[in-house]
């Protein structure tokens, strides 16, 4: 989405961004297995197990655990169950869907609509395919404490999020733990027919395959518990920070700029104010407004330094009447729209070497000769040498606050950089404000 290049680094994705490497790693959170086992060993659990065995004896029980939310996963699951019962009549007397609905995290008309749809579908299934004394869909729509929930999951485990006995786990393929639990059956809840077939396959699965899938999942949950996850997370953080102090990044603030009296701002054009890939070199309205605002301040001298020709720069930057332009790598200079173009008197091609820096050198020298000694200089582009030369010379009586900045992370003498032309635009807007 950000258009960034990425590469695999030590088992995780590495993104180079803002002078640092950002690591992305999948770390599914494990469960607290000891706590689960403690709940299973309390006396009330055995009582509940016997209660469930008596109530659902001879039935294949499918347990769903979902939030009541706008994604309507519960309704889709119920529709899949309805299709299962419609297609396989022999299952109507032996299958029960127990749907645990977690309390909603918010409320509103949308949630109530989902609730109404869920109960409507469940009632329809029970009326059409159920029989006296045999409910095919049981909704548990009330807060279930952890102990009670674990007891439910333990015995009713065909379709649930935590697997606690020899049963088959069906999970949505976009759930975070889906790639980790290899013994599960992954489904897309929107594919109702596939969900129905997944339910049927769990019911008809032979005991050996059921045991094999269970062992795959249980060994993963047992070895990669919440403590392992915590250790892995901290270890990954430490590895990501190994080179932290070699790549530091600051958001620059220019609050002191209001205290300066003369400012010189130099901007390259292509790659700085407009992207290299842009076929049309017109500025955005935001960039134009920022430049006009900066140029209207009599304390500012703002120049565009470009390799483009005079006519092109004049056309692209026509609205910015107070903006200085340096065309053809500085061979031609114009201080504002109403001024005449000045050309370099050099007749050989040596003016092209470090030429943009020569522009800043000439402009700053002219400002000083006019008694406008800059105390703030910002250069965004390749203008390092000439600028540093003039501010270090006797021409400038006091060294100003000076900032050299480049766009994108690349080899440069500049101390600072921004990521793209959009960030340059934002920087200009901040300065203008």
């Amino acid at each position: 989405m950000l258009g960034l290049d990425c590469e695999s680094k030590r088992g995780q994705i590495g993104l180079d961004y803002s002078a640092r490497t950002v690591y992305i790693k999948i770390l599914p959170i494990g469960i607290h297995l000891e706590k689960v086992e403690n709940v299973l060993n309390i006396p009330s659990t055995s009582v509940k197990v016997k209660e469930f065995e008596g109530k659902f004896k001879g039935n294949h029980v499918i347990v769903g655990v979902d939030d009541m939310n706008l994604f309507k996963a519960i309704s889709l699951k119920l529709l899949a169950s309805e299709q299962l019962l419609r297609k396989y009549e022999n299952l109507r007397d032996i299958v029960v869907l127990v749907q645990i609905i977690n309390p909603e995290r918010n409320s509103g008309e949308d949630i109530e609509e989902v609730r109404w749809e869920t109960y409507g579908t469940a009632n329809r299934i029970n009326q059409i395919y159920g029989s006296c004394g045999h409910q095919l869909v049981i909704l548990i729509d009330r807060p279930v404490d952890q102990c009670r929930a674990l007891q439910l999951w333990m015995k009713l485990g065909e379709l649930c999020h935590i697997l606690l006995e020899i049963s088959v786990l069906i999970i949505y393929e976009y759930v975070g733990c889906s790639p980790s639990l290899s013994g599960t059956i992954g489904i897309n809840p929107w594919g109702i027919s596939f969900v129905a077939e997944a339910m049927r396959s769990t019911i008809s699965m032979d005991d050996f395959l059921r045991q094999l899938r269970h062992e795959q999942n249980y060994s993963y949950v047992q070895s990669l518990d919440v403590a392992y996850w915590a250790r892995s997370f901290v270890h990954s953080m430490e590895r990501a920070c190994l080179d932290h102090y070699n790549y530091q990044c600051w958001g620059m603030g220019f609050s002191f700029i209001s205290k300066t009296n003369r400012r010189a701002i130099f901007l390259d054009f292509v790659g700085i104010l407009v992207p290299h890939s842009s076929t049309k070199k017109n500025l955005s309205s935001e960039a134009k407004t920022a430049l006009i605002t900066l140029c209207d301040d009599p304390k500012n001298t703002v120049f565009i330094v470009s390799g483009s020709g005079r006519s092109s720069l004049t056309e692209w930057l026509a609205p910015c009447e107070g903006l200085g332009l340096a065309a053809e790598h500085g061979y031609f200079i114009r201080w504002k729209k109403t001024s005449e173009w000045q050309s370099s008197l050099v007749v050989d091609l040596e003016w092209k070497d470090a030429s943009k820096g020569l522009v800043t050198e000439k402009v700053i020298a002219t400002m000083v000769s006019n008694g406008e000694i800059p105390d703030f200089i910002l250069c965004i582009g390749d203008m390092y040498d000439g600028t540093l030369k003039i501010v270090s010379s006797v021409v400038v009586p006091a060294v100003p606050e000076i900032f050299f900045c480049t766009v994108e992370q690349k080899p440069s003498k500049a101390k600072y950089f921004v990521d793209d032309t959009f960030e340059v635009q934002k920087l200009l807007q901040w300065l203008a404000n």
Side-chain angles (χ1 to χ4, degrees):
M1 290 174 67
L2 296 175
L4 302 175
D5 293 328
C6 63
E7 59 179 313
S8 179
K9 294 185 177 181
R10 294 178 292 193
Q12 48 199 1
I13 296 174
L15 300 172
D16 290 325
Y17 186 73
S18 292
R20 66 190 188 278
T21 300
V22 179
Y23 288 105
I24 299 175
K25 185 175 183 179
I26 298 174
L27 288 167
I29 301 177
I31 66 171
H32 197 310
L33 196 60
E34 183 180 353
K35 191 173 184 179
V36 173
E37 290 173 343
N38 289 339
V39 171
L40 298 181
N41 290 328
I42 61 177
S44 60
T45 301
S46 299
V47 175
K48 288 296 178 184
V49 168
K50 292 180 180 179
E51 179 184 327
F52 293 149
E53 286 176 339
K55 185 173 183 178
F56 299 113
K57 187 176 182 179
N59 288 301
H60 291 279
V61 182
I62 300 174
V63 178
V65 185
D66 297 90
D67 294 341
M68 179 71 78
N69 58 35
L70 299 179
F71 293 107
K72 300 185 177 182
I74 298 177
S75 297
L76 294 170
K77 190 187 304 176
L78 293 178
L79 291 174
S81 301
E82 185 175 30
Q83 183 165 317
L84 175 73
L85 296 169
R86 183 189 309 118
K87 186 174 181 180
Y88 301 100
E89 296 184 16
N90 60 309
L91 299 180
R92 296 177 185 177
D93 295 327
I94 58 173
V95 171
V96 177
L97 171 63
V98 178
Q99 177 63 54
I100 300 174
I101 302 173
N102 293 327
E104 59 272 17
R105 298 170 188 175
N106 48 37
S107 59
E109 293 183 3
D110 293 335
I111 296 295
E112 290 306 314
E113 181 180 340
V114 175
R115 188 187 302 280
W116 177 84
E117 180 181 354
T118 299
Y119 274 87
T121 305
N123 290 334
R124 182 178 69 244
I125 293 172
N126 285 328
Q127 289 173 4
I128 296 176
Y129 302 106
S131 59
C132 183
H134 181 64
Q135 242 184 329
L136 293 171
V137 178
I138 299 174
L139 298 181
I140 302 178
D141 187 10
R142 60 181 182 273
V144 179
D145 63 44
Q146 189 178 52
C147 179
R148 168 75 168 163
L150 288 174
Q151 291 165 349
L152 282 169
W153 291 335
M154 185 191 102
K155 195 58 190 172
L156 310 179
E158 294 278 359
L159 177 61
C160 58
H161 289 165
I162 298 179
L163 187 63
L164 297 173
E165 71 157 10
I166 301 176
S167 55
V168 183
L169 183 63
I170 303 176
I171 58 177
Y172 306 139
E173 58 189 14
Y174 51 73
V175 172
C177 64
S178 178
S180 305
L181 298 175
S182 58
T184 63
I185 297 176
I187 58 166
N188 181 342
W190 297 95
I192 294 174
S193 297
F194 293 105
V195 177
E197 287 304 315
M199 291 178 175
R200 188 192 68 83
S201 68
T202 64
I203 295 170
S204 59
M205 189 176 295
D206 63 73
D207 291 340
F208 174 78
L209 186 56
R210 188 187 299 270
Q211 176 74 27
L212 182 62
R213 286 180 174 271
H214 167 74
E215 289 177 353
Q216 287 176 321
N217 292 331
Y218 188 78
S219 62
Y220 179 89
V221 171
Q222 187 178 40
S223 58
L224 305 179
D225 61 2
V226 68
Y228 174 87
W229 170 81
R231 291 193 301 271
S232 298
F233 192 91
V234 173
H235 180 63
S236 297
M237 288 278 286
E238 290 172 344
R239 281 204 309 183
C241 295
L242 285 176
D243 299 326
H244 174 72
Y245 292 104
N246 294 329
Y247 302 98
Q248 295 193 23
C249 178
W250 295 270
M252 289 304 300
F254 290 109
S255 59
F256 64 88
I257 195 174
S258 59
K259 300 176 183 178
T260 56
N261 295 312
R262 286 298 308 171
R263 312 170 195 115
I265 301 172
F266 300 95
L267 307 166
D268 207 332
F269 189 68
V270 177
I272 304 297
L273 291 175
V274 294
H276 285 287
S277 58
S278 178
T279 54
K280 294 184 178 180
K281 305 304 181 183
N282 297 323
L283 290 177
S284 66
S285 59
E286 293 82 2
K288 286 180 185 177
T289 301
L291 286 174
I292 291 172
T293 302
L294 289 170
C295 293
D296 286 344
D297 189 335
K299 294 183 177 181
N300 297 336
T301 297
V302 186
F303 258 83
I304 299 295
V305 185
S306 173
S308 301
R310 289 174 289 175
S311 58
S312 297
L313 287 179
T314 300
E315 177 187 349
W316 297 332
L317 298 162
C320 308
E321 298 185 356
L323 182 65
L325 299 179
E328 299 182 27
H329 298 280
Y331 189 82
F332 295 100
I333 292 180
R334 189 182 75 182
W335 285 80
K336 55 184 178 180
K337 190 174 184 179
T338 55
S339 303
E340 295 294 328
W341 285 97
Q342 304 171 8
S343 63
S344 172
L345 298 178
V346 182
V347 292
D348 57 34
L349 298 180
E350 291 182 0
W351 60 273
K352 282 192 173 182
D353 299 328
S355 54
K356 293 179 181 178
L358 292 176
V359 172
T360 61
E361 184 178 350
K362 181 176 181 178
V363 170
I364 293 171
T366 303
M367 292 175 64
V368 173
S369 66
N370 293 334
E372 301 173 344
I373 301 172
D375 51 6
F376 171 88
I377 299 175
L378 172 64
C379 298
I380 306 182
D382 300 323
M383 310 166 211
Y384 185 85
D385 292 328
T387 308
L388 197 61
K389 178 181 177 182
I390 186 67
V391 299
S392 303
S393 69
V394 294
V395 176
V396 181
V399 178
E401 293 282 356
I402 183 166
F403 296 89
F404 294 106
C405 179
T406 186
V407 176
E408 299 180 353
Q409 188 179 3
K410 58 185 178 181
S412 173
K413 294 179 181 179
K415 185 177 180 181
Y416 306 103
F417 81 92
V418 293
D419 280 307
D420 49 36
T421 57
F422 179 68
E423 287 200 354
V424 175
Q425 175 183 297
K426 290 197 297 182
L427 176 60
L428 294 179
Q429 288 176 304
W430 291 333
L431 289 173
N433 290 335

